Amino acid sequence: MTDEDAEAVLRLNAESVWALSPLDAESLAAHRAEAAVILVCEVEGEVAAFAVAYAPGASYGSVNYAWHSGRFDDFVYLDRIAVDRAFRRRGIAGAIYDVIEAEAKAHGRMVCEVNSDPPNFESLAFHQARGYREVGQLVQSDGHRVVLLERPL
């Protein structure tokens, strides 16, 4: 991810904020400074998707990251991924997962969470097809529930 990608990344996050947490320029800069993996996928020169992932030991304040940190010694935590609506159903999310899972292999597992209330059926099916399994559930401060997932690598 480059400085030039920031505006597109913030737009993509805003379009998918119902499934992600809000993101502003300051938060994005903090992610870029500490994340283990932060990437964009460009299609024909346009940012089509982005993802952010953390390794253990980060000072990231996410309750979901903290939950996984309290249970696993080593992992890569996928904090967020967003694919532009115009580029969905082209295998981009799968390609991004391939890259991040390859990075996570040295850590033994990749972990993440998916909204279960309100449900994100598409994402839950995607993760199940990739071999992720439920390892817990967590109610967020705003009342929505997430399913915490793990894929041993």
Side-chain angles (χ1 to χ4, degrees), residues 29-44:
H31 283 303
R32 290 180 65 195
E34 192 167 7
V37 180
I38 186 162
L39 57 84
V40 297
C41 173
E42 291 186 359
V43 176
E44 298 173 1

Side-chain angles (χ1 to χ4, degrees), residues 13-149:
N13 196 92
E15 290 172 358
S16 297
V17 76
W18 66 272
L20 307 171
S21 57
L23 186 65
D24 59 21
E26 184 178 331
S27 298
L28 179 58
H31 283 303
R32 290 180 65 195
E34 192 167 7
V37 180
I38 186 162
L39 57 84
V40 297
C41 173
E42 291 186 359
V43 176
E44 298 173 1
E46 187 175 343
V47 174
F50 81 97
V52 178
Y54 284 87
S59 61
Y60 184 41
S62 161
V63 296
N64 302 315
Y65 176 78
W67 189 95
H68 289 294
S69 294
R71 283 150 183 84
F72 301 115
D73 291 331
D74 207 0
F75 59 89
V76 167
Y77 166 69
L78 179 65
D79 178 65
R80 67 187 66 223
I81 180 172
V83 179
D84 188 301
R85 285 184 184 101
F87 295 99
R88 291 185 183 160
R89 302 287 183 217
R90 298 187 189 186
I92 291 171
I96 289 172
Y97 268 73
D98 289 346
V99 169
I100 298 174
E101 287 170 354
E103 293 286 328
K105 193 168 191 168
H107 296 272
R109 71 181 42 85
M110 189 158 126
V111 297
C112 61
E113 81 282 337
V114 175
N115 288 345
S116 62
D117 184 20
N120 186 339
F121 296 117
E122 184 177 283
S123 183
L124 289 167
F126 171 84
H127 285 90
Q128 184 177 19
R130 289 191 71 90
Y132 285 79
R133 62 185 179 101
E134 182 177 333
V135 291
Q137 294 190 14
L138 189 61
V139 176
Q140 306 294 298
S141 62
D142 66 0
H144 82 274
R145 180 180 299 276
V146 296
V147 175
L148 300 139
L149 304 170

